[in-house]
Amino acid sequence: MTGTVPAPAARHPPALVRARTAVCLTFLANGLGFSNLVPRYPELLAHLGITKAAFGQAVMFSSVGALGAGLAASWCITRFTSARVASVGMIVLGLGLLGAGAAGSWLVLALCMAWVGGTDAIVDVAQNAHGLRVERRWGSSIITSFHAAWSLGAVLGALMGQAMAGAGVPVGLHMAAVLVLLALLSGTALPWTIRGPDADDRPEGTPLPDDADSRDPHSGAGARTSRLLTAGVVIVLGVMCAAAMFPEDSADSWSSLLLFDQGAAPGTVGMGLVCLQGTMIVGRLVGDAIIDRLGERAVIAGGGTLVAVGMGTALATGSVPGTLIGMVIAGAGCAVAVPVAYAAADDVPGMRPGAGLTIVSWLARVIMLISPPIVGWFADARGTWVALVYGLLGGAILMTSWPVLRRRGRAGAGG
């Protein structure tokens, strides 16, 4: 991007404010979409007359689709721009949800879930890429506010899905309404986005972290070292991104079982998820100001420490109150870690627009496809408390992976 970056306190042009609003709408729509379908799972299972194992296999195809299509995100962004991919992609995702809601067989459901997962992987990269375009022009960190919009959308979508289920609305009709809603949100957002190629907002000649490009770039050894360092940075960022999801997965997939084993009442076993996600929403709302003040390195290192303390507290107490307190602390620690990893991925030197984001997102999805079954195996063998070790591991990785980030915060990254 040419020109000077405006100071954080400066008045921003109306067009840039609209662009920020557009990204928020896209993230909100992305959160709304899939979360509307989740409360209808029991009805889909009953309608298809399949076992829970078969249904789980069909749902798993969303991850298969994500891994298969995820690496195409960079090409799509280069060819069509991140704004168009994110906005149009949400409508394509909605069509997949409609197909899943109207599925009449296991095969159709599985294919539609693969469609949804693959589209979501591409939209996820595109919406973050465009959010970072807006952030570079804004002049200070705003990426976590977009992820807060996603979290809000996920909560609203789940509530909408439960309401539709309670009212007896057919799943297919419900998903048709979701498609219309996604089209309205995306159609509103697209005209407000930043136009032109994404490369227009990428500073050129940015040095590698810690000035690691000081070797002669024209020498063969220097070029090889630069490529190896770039690959290493991307891999570490992918692991960092996945590690930030470990405590989330610990709460989403395992906290209800853990709380049940600890003696929680049936109506309260979902409070682990509520505690962690509730804190994450708050953390994402205030996260940008914290990143600007402390910098990315301190935020990731400190966040990892909070995750480790939270999961360690839950592990040490072995009680319902201790687990809930631990989830609150861990949620504060992992709230902004994924946005920070994405922002860093988009700034990796020597990569075309969206490439770093694409690879980091794909690596994180691969790790998140492999790790839950491993946790499940250990949980069967040792007990559900293993899920807390899983979350604690995520905190430990965050605590040790921060050196790969730039020394300065996002506020000073523009130019």
Side-chain angles (χ1 to χ4, degrees):
M1 183 177 70
T2 59
T4 59
V5 175
R11 181 180 178 86
H12 298 98
L16 187 58
V17 175
R18 288 194 296 271
R20 181 174 180 176
T21 302
V23 177
C24 285
L25 288 176
T26 304
F27 271 81
L28 180 73
N30 189 239
L32 273 169
F34 189 75
S35 62
N36 260 280
L37 182 64
V38 173
R40 311 307 299 264
Y41 278 177
E43 295 166 74
L44 285 175
L45 190 150
H47 170 69
L48 296 175
I50 57 179
T51 64
K52 292 180 180 179
F55 184 78
Q57 292 167 1
V59 171
M60 187 189 72
F61 268 74
S62 63
S63 296
V64 175
L67 295 181
L71 289 177
S74 178
W75 179 87
C76 291
I77 291 171
T78 302
R79 178 68 177 83
F80 302 108
T81 78
S82 59
R84 292 174 182 168
V85 173
S87 297
V88 177
M90 281 311 308
I91 300 174
V92 176
L93 190 151
L95 290 171
L97 292 173
L98 177 60
S105 67
W106 178 90
L107 180 60
V108 172
L109 176 62
L111 291 176
C112 288
M113 294 304 292
W115 178 334
V116 169
T119 307
D120 180 68
I122 294 174
V123 168
D124 183 43
V125 173
Q127 68 185 5
N128 277 281
H130 201 74
L132 289 165
R133 286 193 73 178
V134 175
E135 180 180 89
R136 292 187 183 100
R137 297 190 180 198
W138 197 267
S140 61
S141 179
I142 57 174
I143 189 66
T144 67
S145 66
F146 301 142
H147 286 256
W150 184 93
S151 296
L152 176 62
V155 172
L156 293 176
L159 292 174
M160 179 179 170
Q162 290 183 94
M164 289 286 192
V169 177
V171 181
L173 182 59
H174 175 195
M175 291 303 109
V178 170
L179 172 59
V180 172
L181 180 58
L182 296 182
L184 287 173
L185 289 171
S186 299
T188 301
L190 184 56
W192 293 349
T193 55
I194 298 173
R195 298 182 180 181
D198 285 60
D200 290 350
D201 289 276
R202 291 179 63 85
E204 298 181 3
T206 306
L208 287 166
D210 297 333
D211 298 321
D213 61 336
S214 56
R215 286 190 173 94
D216 179 11
H218 301 292
S219 69
R224 284 193 297 273
T225 301
S226 178
R227 287 194 295 270
L228 287 173
L229 183 58
T230 297
V233 168
V234 170
I235 291 172
V236 173
L237 288 174
V239 174
M240 177 193 293
C241 189
M245 300 175 187
F246 286 2
E248 287 189 68
D249 191 42
S250 179
D252 294 352
S253 303
W254 302 100
S255 65
S256 59
L257 297 175
L258 177 64
L259 288 169
F260 179 80
D261 290 345
Q262 291 174 342
T268 62
V269 294
M271 286 304 297
L273 172 61
V274 172
C275 287
L276 185 132
Q277 288 290 347
T279 310
M280 284 189 66
I281 292 176
V282 175
R284 286 176 168 179
L285 289 174
V286 303
D288 291 310
I290 296 174
I291 291 171
D292 283 339
R293 179 175 292 273
L294 301 178
E296 295 173 334
R297 287 184 163 196
V299 166
I300 290 297
T305 302
L306 285 175
V307 170
V309 169
M311 291 295 171
T313 298
L315 192 61
T317 59
S319 65
V320 171
T323 297
L324 297 182
I325 292 172
M327 290 295 172
V328 169
I329 298 172
C334 65
V336 302
V338 171
V340 166
Y342 278 171
D346 200 48
D347 275 343
V348 174
M351 304 190 76
R352 65 181 184 272
L357 268 174
T358 297
I359 298 172
V360 166
S361 175
W362 187 83
L363 285 173
R365 289 176 186 272
V366 169
I367 295 171
M368 292 308 299
L369 181 65
I370 297 171
S371 54
I374 295 175
V375 175
W377 184 84
F378 278 106
D380 278 339
R382 301 294 182 181
T384 49
W385 60 267
V386 170
L388 297 174
V389 179
Y390 172 44
L392 195 153
L393 175 63
I397 293 173
L398 293 176
M399 289 169 61
T400 55
S401 60
W402 60 265
V404 76
L405 301 171
R406 299 188 186 282
R407 285 195 175 94
R408 61 182 184 268
R410 295 290 301 168

